[in-house]
């Protein structure tokens, strides 16, 4: 070997040694990262266990950056990303992929695989969910939770027989129960297997023929099948087995409701409410459903409903939930005085409830009970000193008693308390100030406020309507009034108030035929909405009729208007002289 060959040999040896050392160093770094990732992972799980989820998520992210091969870390990162809810659709897909890595490598990690399957189910990744439940069932054939999940997965594939078969297995182990029967019945309903449904009901009853709950559930199933006679048989059987069972009355009431027997329906509802075996929560739910049905039928005030509330309050006089429900019902049928009285009982039991004091202010305002408004407001301000809505209600009350300076002062407070980003609320407050300035006779400031309100919220139709109406009355700018009013009609073409304003703008412009057309539409929609027309609307309609030559009909509408507003001097003159007066 010459000198040159020796030199080459030495270089190769050194290079090999360097490579081996570099690989060893790299392996050491990787090993160190893995150890650090493991410790970080453990700390993350500790943070998760004590509810510090932000720290948990950050630590898991760091752990995964240190070791992307650890599938347990990948699983937790995927799960924490989904829980954080900060990712887009692509991010969701990546998070699921991270969880899937762990399932692929360690499917027998029961809890993690179960969690992955649940995520896939919730996200409706049905093929992957089915794969998870099938694998877990293969690995853990005795776990009933897995059977139930696999049954649902089969049902999604419309393989209802397999789904029922799995629940049959669960039933054979745990025994018959209502939840299991209902699950199988739901599968049978989905496959439209009426005979299978009936088979399940018989199977349940065979285990305990005189079980009240079983008979009630079977009756409900027959009710869903439309077999009312069979439904009644089982409901009645349950009642005969245990006449004191309150739920039997509920099911019987529902049966009578379905067949349209209102007399027996009311009777069973009454029996349920006086039943001592039903708790307040159940009775309240019954009454909520009953009241909802009554109101859906357009009932304005029902003696039957009033009696049921009376019965329940006599039984439970100190249950605030019942008084609160009664208050809501009375407010819905516009008995604001009664609603305020019931809410008063609620506040007696909890005088620090800020929201209910605010409701009390509103109810008294709707009832025109200004003494009650200010009394409730004093209480409400103690707990709602920064609530903008409250000051708006108060300002409205001051307007109605013509305390305009106080109204402006209160509107200013409402504006100060409102969220600066809530342009809709700010616009409404400013529009209210415009109404006040007009009532004070300051049209310049009034119109400035309306302009500001519309600038804040270009969709404030009420501000546009009021602005247009006052422009028409003062005849300041009828073209602008027409443009503003036309916008309100564009978005709400059946609003009687907006139609009245639009008609009045045309009236002021001397276009009486158009005025009559829109005024007639305003009255038509007012009747459709079962709203009593205002004296102003009736007077305007009479004016439009008169200008179109329908003099006798015009007088009849003026007479109707004067009944609602007997203090109007100009209305009195129109009726007396049977002619139109501009002023």
């Amino acid at each position: 070997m010459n000198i040159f060959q020796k030199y080459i040999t030495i270089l190769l040896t050194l290079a090999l040694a360097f490579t081996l050392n570099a690989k060893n160093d790299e392996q050491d770094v990787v090993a160190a990262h893995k150890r650090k990732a493991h410790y970080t992972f453990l700390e993350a799980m500790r943070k998760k266990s004590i509810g510090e989820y932000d720290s948990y998520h950050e630590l898991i992210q760091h752990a995964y950056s240190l070791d992307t091969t650890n599938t347990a870390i990948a699983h937790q990162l995927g799960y924490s990303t989904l829980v954080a809810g900060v990712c887009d659709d692509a991010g969701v897909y990546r998070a699921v992929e991270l969880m899937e890595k762990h399932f692929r490598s360690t499917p027998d990690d029961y809890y993690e695989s179960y969690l992955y399957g649940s995520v896939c189910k919730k996200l409706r990744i049905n093929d992957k969910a089915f794969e998870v439940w099938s694998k877990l069932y293969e690995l853990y054939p005795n776990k009933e939770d897995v059977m139930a999940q696999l049954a649902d997965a089969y049902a999604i594939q419309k393989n209802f027989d397999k789904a029922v078969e799995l629940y049959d297995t669960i039933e054979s182990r745990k025994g018959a129960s209502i939840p299991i029967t209902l699950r199988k019945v739901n599968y049978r309903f989905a496959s439209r297997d009426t005979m299978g449904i009936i088979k399940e009901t018989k199977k349940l009853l065979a285990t305990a023929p005189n079980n009240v709950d079983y008979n009630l559930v079977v009756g409900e199933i027959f009710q869903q099948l439309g077999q009312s006679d069979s439904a009644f048989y089982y409901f009645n059987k349950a009642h005969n087995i245990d006449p004191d069972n309150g739920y039997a009355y509920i099911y019987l009431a529902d049966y009578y409701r379905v067949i349209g027997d209102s007399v027996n329906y009311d009777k069973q509802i009454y029996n349920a409410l006086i039943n001592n075996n039903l708790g307040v929560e159940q009775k309240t739910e019954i009454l909520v459903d009953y009241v909802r049905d009554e109101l859906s039928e357009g009932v304005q005030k029902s003696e039957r409903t009033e009696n049921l509330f009376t019965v329940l309050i006599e039984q439970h006089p100190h249950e605030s939930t019942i008084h609160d429900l009664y208050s809501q019902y009375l407010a819905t049928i516009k008995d604001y005085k009664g609603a305020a009285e019931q809410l008063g009982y609620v506040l007696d039991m909890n005088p620090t409830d800020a929201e209910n004091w605010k409701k009390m202010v509103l109810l008294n305002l709707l009832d025109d009970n200004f003494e009650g408004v200010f009394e409730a407001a004093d209480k409400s301000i103690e707990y709602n000193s920064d609530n903008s809505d409250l000051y708006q209600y108060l300002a409205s009350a001051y307007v109605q008693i013509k305390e305009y300076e106080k109204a402006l002062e209160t509107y200013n407070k409402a504006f100060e308390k409102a969220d600066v980003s809530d342009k809709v609320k700010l616009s409404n407050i400013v529009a209210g100030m415009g109404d006040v300035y007009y009532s004070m006779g300051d049209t310049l400031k009034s119109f400035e406020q309306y302009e500001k309100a519309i600038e804040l919220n270009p969709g404030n139709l009420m501000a546009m309507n009021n602005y247009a109406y006052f422009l028409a009355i003062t005849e300041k700018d009828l073209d602008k009034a027409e443009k503003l009013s036309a916008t309100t009609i564009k978005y709400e073409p059946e609003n009687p108030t907006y139609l009245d304003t639009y008609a009045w703008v045309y009236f002021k412009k001397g276009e009486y035929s158009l005025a009559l057309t829109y005024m007639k539409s305003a009255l038509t929609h007012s009747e459709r909405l079962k709203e009593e027309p205002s004296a102003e609307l009736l007077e305007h309609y009479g004016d439009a009729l008169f200008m179109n030559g329908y003099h006798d009909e015009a007088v009849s509408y003026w007479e109707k208007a004067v009944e609602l507003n007997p203090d109007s001097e100009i209305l009195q003159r129109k009726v007396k002289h049977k002619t139109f007066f501009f002023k």
Side-chain angles (χ1 to χ4, degrees):
M1 180 182 295
N2 58 36
I3 295 175
F4 179 76
Q5 287 175 323
K6 285 184 178 179
Y7 179 71
I8 293 297
T9 302
I10 291 169
L11 287 177
L12 287 174
T13 303
L14 289 172
L16 179 60
F18 179 80
T19 301
L20 290 173
N21 287 334
K23 285 185 177 179
N24 288 335
D25 289 344
E26 184 179 339
Q27 289 172 353
D28 288 344
V29 169
V30 170
H33 281 181
K34 286 180 179 292
R35 287 194 300 273
K36 190 173 181 180
H38 178 67
Y39 296 139
T40 305
F41 171 73
L42 292 177
E43 177 61 14
M45 297 308 290
R46 188 184 72 80
K47 292 289 186 181
K48 180 183 178 183
S49 69
I50 61 176
E52 294 184 12
Y53 295 108
D54 289 342
S55 297
Y56 154 67
H57 183 62
E58 289 175 7
L59 288 166
I60 283 294
Q61 283 182 310
H62 183 54
Y64 186 70
S65 70
L66 293 168
D67 184 5
T68 58
T69 65
N70 189 317
T71 61
I73 295 175
H75 172 90
Q76 288 296 326
L77 178 58
Y79 178 68
S80 67
T81 300
L82 293 172
V83 170
V86 293
C87 51
D88 55 14
D89 289 346
V92 169
Y93 181 76
R94 287 194 297 272
V96 172
E97 278 190 325
L98 287 170
M99 297 184 76
E100 184 178 4
K101 284 176 68 175
H102 189 61
F103 171 72
R104 297 290 175 208
S105 67
T106 321
D108 60 344
D109 187 341
Y110 177 77
Y111 294 104
E112 306 294 42
S113 293
Y114 193 98
L115 183 59
Y116 169 58
S118 299
V119 165
C120 290
K121 179 180 179 180
K122 186 173 183 179
L123 294 174
R124 298 183 181 179
I125 310 174
N126 298 324
D127 55 340
K128 290 187 177 181
F130 182 80
E131 181 185 2
V132 174
W133 305 128
S134 297
K135 186 64 179 179
L136 284 177
Y137 183 53
E138 176 189 323
L139 293 168
Y140 303 99
N142 294 319
K143 285 193 175 288
E144 289 151 10
D145 285 350
V146 173
M147 290 184 204
Q149 294 287 5
L150 183 57
D152 283 345
Y154 273 121
I156 289 170
Q157 294 183 343
K158 299 191 184 303
N159 191 340
F160 299 111
D161 288 340
K162 273 286 189 182
V164 170
E165 183 181 313
L166 282 163
Y167 266 100
D168 280 339
T169 302
I170 296 172
E171 188 175 54
S172 68
R173 296 177 180 182
K174 299 183 69 173
S177 70
I178 290 173
I180 291 174
T181 297
L182 288 179
R183 179 60 71 177
K184 291 195 288 180
V185 164
N186 284 337
Y187 295 146
R188 300 292 193 190
F189 265 112
S191 61
R192 299 180 182 180
D193 181 4
T194 301
M195 294 306 296
I197 293 169
I198 294 172
K199 174 186 173 184
E200 296 299 342
T201 63
K202 289 181 177 178
K203 190 175 179 182
L204 177 67
L205 281 175
T207 63
N210 292 322
N211 183 299
V212 172
D213 293 335
Y214 287 8
N215 279 278
L216 290 175
V217 166
V218 168
E220 176 63 18
I221 292 169
F222 277 108
Q223 184 106 303
Q224 291 179 37
L225 287 170
Q227 298 184 22
S228 296
D229 290 343
S230 294
F232 178 74
Y233 170 81
Y234 288 107
F235 292 152
N236 201 46
K237 179 183 173 185
H239 173 64
N240 290 333
I241 294 169
D242 183 5
D244 294 326
N245 188 295
Y247 288 100
Y249 291 116
I250 297 174
Y251 280 99
L252 281 167
D254 191 56
Y255 163 78
Y256 286 119
R257 181 189 61 78
V258 169
I259 67 171
D261 186 342
S262 60
V263 173
N264 277 308
Y265 170 59
D266 287 346
K267 180 180 177 182
Q268 299 304 328
I269 289 291
Y270 177 82
N271 287 335
L273 291 180
I274 64 173
N275 187 277
N276 292 325
N277 294 319
L278 287 176
V280 173
E281 186 176 340
Q282 288 87 2
K283 291 181 180 181
T284 304
E285 288 176 4
I286 294 168
L287 204 49
V288 166
D289 291 339
Y290 185 87
V291 169
R292 188 184 295 117
D293 289 341
E294 287 281 277
L295 294 175
S296 68
E297 294 171 7
V299 176
Q300 293 301 303
K301 189 160 186 173
S302 167
E303 187 177 340
R304 294 179 302 175
T305 304
E306 299 272 346
N307 288 338
L308 290 176
F309 272 113
T310 301
V311 166
L312 204 51
I313 287 172
E314 285 176 354
Q315 281 186 302
H316 309 282
H318 303 300
E319 284 291 338
S320 62
T321 306
I322 300 170
H323 289 287
D324 188 39
L325 178 61
Y326 197 11
S327 176
Q328 292 177 53
Y329 165 72
L330 292 170
T332 303
I333 63 173
K334 299 183 179 180
D335 180 358
Y336 302 121
K337 182 177 181 180
E341 181 183 353
Q342 292 301 318
L343 189 58
Y345 297 134
V346 178
L347 284 166
D348 285 343
M349 294 177 230
N350 185 10
T352 63
D353 190 324
E355 284 303 308
N356 275 336
W357 277 116
K358 194 168 76 173
K359 288 179 189 175
M360 182 66 89
V361 172
L362 182 57
L363 287 171
N364 280 292
L365 182 60
L366 291 169
D367 190 42
D368 293 333
N369 178 8
F370 301 110
E371 183 180 344
V373 168
F374 299 123
E375 182 182 339
D378 287 340
K379 288 283 188 181
S380 186
I381 286 172
E382 291 180 28
Y383 312 110
N384 291 269
S385 59
D386 292 326
N387 191 290
S388 179
D389 291 340
L390 174 61
Y391 290 104
Q392 280 185 267
Y393 299 158
L394 275 176
S396 298
Y398 283 126
V399 169
Q400 292 184 55
I401 62 174
K402 299 184 179 180
E403 293 274 1
Y404 299 127
E405 292 293 346
K406 286 186 178 179
L408 284 174
E409 181 184 337
T410 311
Y411 269 130
N412 276 313
K413 284 184 181 178
F415 193 88
E416 291 170 8
K417 303 291 184 182
D419 183 347
V420 293
S421 66
D422 191 344
K423 302 301 183 184
V424 172
K425 177 174 285 187
L426 293 172
S427 175
N428 290 336
I429 294 169
V430 172
M433 295 171 74
D435 295 342
V436 175
Y437 278 119
Y438 187 86
S439 298
M440 296 171 72
D442 192 340
T443 56
L444 180 62
K445 284 188 177 179
S446 174
F447 296 163
E448 285 177 356
Q449 295 301 313
Y450 288 134
E451 291 281 0
K452 183 179 177 182
I454 295 167
E455 183 182 345
L456 282 165
N457 175 22
N460 191 334
L461 299 182
M462 184 57 75
M464 292 182 199
N465 175 78
N466 293 358
Y467 191 12
Y469 185 64
F470 294 140
L471 282 170
I473 288 178
T474 56
E475 300 182 11
K476 297 281 187 182
D477 188 340
L478 293 176
D479 288 338
K480 184 169 189 172
E482 181 184 342
K483 184 178 178 181
L484 288 165
S485 190
T487 302
T488 69
I489 296 302
K490 176 183 176 181
Y491 290 103
E492 293 191 22
E494 298 180 354
N495 186 307
T497 301
Y498 297 168
L499 287 165
D500 177 36
T501 297
Y502 200 41
W504 196 240
V505 172
Y506 279 124
F507 187 91
K508 285 291 188 174
K509 295 182 82 168
E511 298 183 38
Y512 300 123
S513 178
L514 277 172
L516 181 60
T517 297
Y518 284 105
M519 202 66 72
K520 186 179 292 185
S521 181
L523 270 175
T524 299
H525 288 299
S526 181
E527 291 169 0
R528 178 182 60 80
L529 295 170
K530 297 180 181 179
E531 295 177 352
E532 183 179 347
S534 66
E536 195 172 45
L537 177 55
L538 293 169
E539 182 182 3
H540 287 170
Y541 189 52
D543 295 346
L545 285 167
F546 189 89
M547 289 304 189
N548 280 279
Y550 303 104
H551 297 163
D552 292 340
E553 196 174 348
V555 173
S556 71
Y557 276 92
W558 289 333
E559 288 172 344
K560 291 177 183 177
V562 84
E563 288 177 11
L564 296 174
N565 186 13
D567 297 329
S568 172
E569 183 184 342
I570 194 167
L571 263 175
Q572 295 281 7
R573 288 168 59 203
K574 289 176 183 178
V575 171
K576 181 179 179 180
H577 298 286
K578 300 185 186 304
T579 190
F580 176 78
F581 292 92
F582 281 97
K583 291 184 180 179

